[in-house]
């Protein structure tokens, strides 16, 4: 289904928990407010099934930390019966070493792993935890399990990790992963001060990467993201959503919050649509209407 701006809605990003075992100081928590409900395994699966009626083909699980849910493999197994093109998940990687094989077995296609630094001290400062080694083990397990392409998500933070870009490119390539350099987003009012202090423009870094690239791929259906191929085969993707109308004009995404609301835009909480209540009441027409209404409420933020 297309929204009123002609944008097809093909991907659904589902937050399956708001709990996390890390405490990254910049985290936008997917733009979700604290909720008082939790979707059950079967409810998540049903919502995915109904979403396919509207042309959703790609599912991404997020959180909080999605691997904190014991039933994550079960959820994936259930939705992998539906006709979907892509099932992926984004994780902080701290629990991945033990889970990668089973996630693949359950039907997960690929994975994104957050990694802002290769420096243990800095990692602890950013996340509040000393688990960098666990994340590295998780990355290796994901590659071994075939959850590919594995993408490493790095938020570039002013005065913090800009000087590590080269090391992160080399590290990613050495593991056979793609590096995604992501601009810090200002999402909730609470992260305004963090944004002011740590936000940096990625243009300069992108320019330097572009100069040495031997190839560029523009992913038109993925918010016009650019992927650069470097001489040694290293792959680097740049994601710069802030004040980027082109990014919004190619957005194909709908979201579900961990407490069961359809969320038309990461940046807003004033246009949510409750989809869990009608699902729990067994009112399937209203579930469908909720999807239609959420798609109707989609608007480019920039
Ligand atoms: N815990 C999981 C993880 O680490 O991937 C899933 C939740 S986390 C909110 C999902 C992604 O959002 C991570 O890659 C994280 O780096 C990114 N993220 C969090 N806060 C952000 C912000 N303010 N701007 C841009 N990206 C952000």
């Amino acid at each position: 289904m297309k929204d009123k701006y002609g944008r097809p809605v093909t991907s659904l990003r589902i937050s399956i928990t708001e709990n996390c075992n890390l405490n990254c100081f910049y985290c936008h928590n997917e733009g979700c407010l604290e909720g008082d409900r939790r979707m059950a395994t079967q409810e998540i699966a049903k919502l995915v099934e109904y979403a396919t009626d509207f042309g959703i083909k790609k599912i991404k699980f997020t959180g909080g930390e999605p691997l904190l849910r014991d039933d994550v493999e079960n959820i994936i197994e259930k939705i992998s019966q539906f006709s979907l093109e892509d099932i992926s998940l984004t994780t902080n990687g701290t629990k991945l070493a033990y889970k990668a094989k089973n996630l693949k077995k359950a039907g997960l296609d690929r994975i994104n792993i957050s990694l802002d630094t290769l420096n243990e001290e800095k990692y602890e400062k950013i996340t509040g935890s000393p688990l960098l080694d666990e994340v590295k083990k998780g990355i290796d397990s994901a590659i071994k399990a075939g959850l590919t392409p594995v993408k490493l998500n790095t938020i570039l933070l002013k005065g913090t990790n800009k000087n590590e870009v080269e090391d992160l490119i080399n590290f990613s390539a050495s593991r056979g992963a793609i590096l995604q350099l992501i601009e810090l987003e200002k999402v909730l009012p609470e992260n305004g001060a963090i944004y002011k202090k740590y936000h940096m423009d990625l243009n300069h870094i992108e320019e330097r990467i572009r100069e040495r690239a031997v190839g560029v791929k523009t992913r038109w259906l993925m918010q016009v993201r650019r992927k650069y191929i470097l001489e040694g085969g290293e792959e680097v993707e740049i994601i710069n959503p802030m004040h980027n109308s082109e990014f919004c004009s190619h957005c194909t995404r709908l979201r579900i919050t961990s407490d069961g609301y359809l969320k038309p835009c990461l940046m807003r909480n004033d246009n949510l649509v409750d989809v869990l209540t009608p699902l729990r009441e067994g009112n399937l027409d209203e579930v469908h209407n909720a999807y239609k209404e959420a798609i109707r409420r989609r608007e480019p933020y920039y």
Side-chain angles (χ1 to χ4, degrees):
M1 189 170 164
K2 286 187 179 169
D3 65 16
K4 59 186 179 230
Y5 297 88
R7 301 175 301 174
V9 183
T10 53
S11 66
L12 185 61
R13 189 167 172 114
I14 309 175
S15 188
I16 56 174
T17 177
E18 61 187 35
N19 298 332
C20 191
N21 57 335
L22 301 187
N23 190 20
C24 303
F25 68 78
Y26 59 77
C27 187
H28 58 30
N29 195 28
E30 302 287 345
C32 296
L33 303 171
E34 208 175 308
D36 53 5
R37 307 186 294 191
R38 180 184 192 262
M39 295 185 286
T41 318
Q42 190 56 30
E43 289 171 339
I44 296 169
K46 277 280 164 212
L47 289 178
V48 171
E49 187 177 358
Y50 295 128
T52 61
D53 295 342
F54 294 93
I56 296 287
K57 297 186 175 72
K58 297 180 181 182
I59 302 293
K60 171 151 271 152
F61 292 112
T62 181
E65 173 46 44
L67 299 191
L68 291 188
R69 266 189 83 137
D70 290 339
D71 60 350
V72 61
E73 292 93 342
N74 203 352
I75 296 171
I76 292 166
E77 204 173 335
K78 283 195 189 310
I79 71 155
S80 60
Q81 309 155 20
F82 308 140
S83 67
L84 294 164
E85 284 173 5
D86 187 49
I87 306 175
S88 66
L89 179 148
T90 175
T91 173
N92 61 34
T94 56
K95 306 259 175 215
L96 190 55
Y98 314 98
K99 290 207 165 240
K101 215 166 139 193
N102 285 343
L103 289 168
K104 181 71 189 177
K105 210 165 133 203
L108 190 70
D109 292 311
R110 61 185 183 84
I111 205 153
N112 289 44
I113 303 164
S114 300
L115 181 70
D116 298 325
T117 176
L118 295 166
N119 176 295
E120 279 172 32
E121 226 171 274
K122 241 188 257 177
Y123 186 84
E124 194 160 348
K125 232 173 161 178
I126 294 172
T127 66
S129 108
L131 295 173
L132 179 58
D133 268 350
E134 292 308 306
V135 180
K136 288 183 182 168
K137 283 183 206 153
I139 294 168
D140 291 339
S141 305
I143 297 276
K144 200 165 158 213
L147 289 168
T148 50
V150 170
K151 295 190 178 182
L152 304 184
N153 288 0
T154 300
I155 311 297
L156 283 174
L157 302 161
K158 189 159 70 187
T160 306
N161 59 359
K162 185 177 143 192
N163 59 348
E164 284 194 70
V165 168
E166 208 49 46
D167 290 345
L168 284 159
I169 292 176
N170 292 334
F171 175 84
S172 306
S174 74
R175 300 304 205 269
I178 297 172
L179 180 66
Q180 298 202 115
L181 296 175
I182 304 173
E183 182 183 18
L184 181 70
E185 288 172 291
K186 181 181 173 187
V187 176
L188 302 167
E190 303 92 83
N191 107 350
I194 295 289
Y195 179 81
K196 205 166 166 202
K197 186 164 174 200
Y198 291 98
H199 175 262
M200 53 180 275
D201 202 315
L202 303 197
N203 288 346
H204 185 58
I205 285 178
E206 179 166 5
E207 194 48 46
R208 278 188 4 227
I209 291 173
R210 186 185 293 125
E211 277 166 14
R212 39 194 280 241
V214 292
V216 187
K217 284 184 194 155
T218 303
R219 303 179 64 206
W220 292 100
L221 295 178
M222 275 302 284
Q223 296 133 332
V224 210
R225 297 177 185 185
R226 290 164 304 281
K227 184 161 86 172
Y228 296 94
I229 321 290
L230 307 187
E231 209 171 12
E234 305 94 331
E235 295 182 46
V236 185
E237 210 166 303
I238 308 281
I239 303 175
N240 47 354
M242 290 301 291
H243 304 285
N244 185 344
S245 54
E246 205 176 22
F247 189 91
C248 290
S249 71
H250 288 86
C251 175
T252 58
R253 188 176 283 175
L254 193 64
R255 296 166 173 266
I256 302 184
T257 66
S258 61
D259 55 343
Y261 289 85
L262 292 168
K263 183 170 164 61
C265 177
L266 168 69
M267 311 297 265
R268 292 174 57 179
N269 274 313
D270 60 352
N271 58 356
L272 307 184
V273 181
D274 183 3
V275 70
L276 190 56
T277 300
L279 185 75
R280 287 187 171 168
E281 288 168 350
N283 191 340
L284 301 188
D285 282 346
E286 279 309 309
V287 173
H288 271 97
N289 286 339
Y291 272 104
K292 280 188 203 150
E293 180 59 18
I295 294 171
R296 196 190 66 76
R297 291 185 189 184
R298 268 170 50 90
E299 281 177 6
Y301 189 76
Y302 293 114

